[in-house]
Structure formats: structure tokens, C-alpha cells
Amino acid sequence: MQTEAEVRAWLRSHGTETVRHPGGTLYAHLCRVQERLGALGHTTATQSAGLTHAVYGTDGFDLALLFWGEREALRDLIGPAAEELVYLYGSCDRDRTWPDLATNRTVADRFTGEVTRLNEDQVTPFVDLTIVNELDVMEQDPALLTANRAYFADLFAAWEPVTSPAVATEAHRLLNP
């Protein structure tokens, strides 16, 4: 497992400072997500997952920095627990996962088609990472906030039973002013 500085250097070496993203660059977004997860009380592993959450691409952001079949490389960089969360996040088929996530606690894998039941210790970090990511994107692009406020307010309200109180408060602050 590498230091945070080494992980950030790895991200920069993979071009994240040149990829446009709401709020500037992908690199800036990844750093904001990590920092916010830390400020909201998440573990180092969850913060590392936040910093690297888009390495395999996502259902909403197609660019992959690393092929999902090469997971060992990311494991070596951030550790197995953080990498597992990154894989779950990146592989998540949002249409098949998000509507019932709070009740069935499963993630449909867009790469393999498999469905994985989250361990109890994975549910809240997965949900919180997802919420913090979406909040950052919407805060950086007010048009996205306007267009998606109702959808995410309803979705995140449904997820509240498995959301940390600090992240639920952040979601309410942005989506229900």
C-alpha cells in the first residue's frame, strides 16, 4: 500500500489533471471526494477509495485509468479493502442497483453481469461514497443540480437507513435547502 502522496502522483501520471470534469479536472474531483469523506469521518480505506473511485471508470463516467481486470495493481496502490470498494463503485450498474440498494444491499456488476451482496461493513461506505461523489458533481455544476435535485433527493432519502448521519446531513443541506 502506498502513501496518499504516492497515490496522488499515480493519478496525475495517469492523466487525471488533463481530464475535464465538473469543477475543473478529474484529479480535482477525486481529491475533493477523498477530502470530504475524511471530513465526514470515514476511514482511511474509504477515503482512499474516494480518491481513486473512478480508476475503473463508472456507469456515469466512461474513462478508465486502469482495466478492471487488472485489479491487483490498484490493490497494491491503495490496499485490498479500498480497492474492493473502488471495484464495487466502478462496476455498479446504476439502473439495476440504485433503486433497491437500501433494501436488498446488492450491486449489479456492469462488467460481468453478476450481482454481489454487500457485506454489512461495505454498505454505508459504498452508499456514502456514491452520495459524496454525486454531491460534489452537483455542487460544481449548478445546472446538474437543478436538473437532478428531485431525483437525488428522493433516491438519497430512500438510502437514509444505510447512510451515515454526517453524509445524510450533507445531502439534505444541498438537496433540500
Side-chain angles (χ1 to χ4, degrees), residues 130-161:
T130 302
I131 292 172
V132 165
N133 174 71
E134 297 301 333
L135 293 178
D136 182 73
V137 170
M138 288 185 284
E139 284 176 327
Q140 300 304 315
D141 187 339
L144 287 174
L145 175 60
T146 300
N148 296 292
R149 180 189 306 269
Y151 169 76
F152 282 113
D154 290 346
L155 181 66
F156 296 164
W159 289 359
E160 255 188 62

Side-chain angles (χ1 to χ4, degrees), residues 101-102 105 118-128 162-163:
L101 179 60
R105 300 174 186 207
L118 298 176
N119 296 329
E120 282 305 308
D121 62 339
Q122 292 174 313
V123 176
T124 298
F126 178 81
V127 167
D128 283 6
V162 294
T163 305

Side-chain angles (χ1 to χ4, degrees), residues 58-60 85 87-118 122-123 125-128 130-131 134 151-152 154-156 158-159 162:
T58 73
D59 196 357
L85 185 53
Y87 181 81
L88 288 167
Y89 185 82
S91 70
C92 176
D93 179 325
R94 294 175 178 184
D95 289 340
R96 293 178 49 214
T97 300
W98 284 8
D100 300 314
L101 179 60
T103 54
N104 67 19
R105 300 174 186 207
T106 61
V107 174
D109 188 316
R110 68 189 179 98
F111 302 135
T112 67
E114 296 176 6
V115 175
T116 301
R117 181 158 180 80
L118 298 176
Q122 292 174 313
V123 176
F126 178 81
V127 167
D128 283 6
T130 302
I131 292 172
E134 297 301 333
Y151 169 76
F152 282 113
D154 290 346
L155 181 66
F156 296 164
W159 289 359
V162 294

Side-chain angles (χ1 to χ4, degrees), residues 61-84:
F61 191 75
D62 227 10
L63 177 72
L65 305 177
L66 188 66
F67 173 60
W68 64 268
E70 300 172 319
R71 295 178 62 184
E72 190 64 35
L74 189 58
R75 268 189 221 114
D76 290 345
L77 193 65
I78 63 172
E83 187 281 332
E84 181 66 21

Side-chain angles (χ1 to χ4, degrees), residues 13-36:
S13 75
H14 281 74
T16 58
E17 290 179 308
T18 64
V19 177
R20 296 188 58 80
H21 197 278
T25 66
L26 177 58
Y27 180 76
H29 166 69
L30 295 170
C31 291
R32 285 192 306 268
V33 170
Q34 176 204 24
E35 291 161 4
R36 186 179 237 169

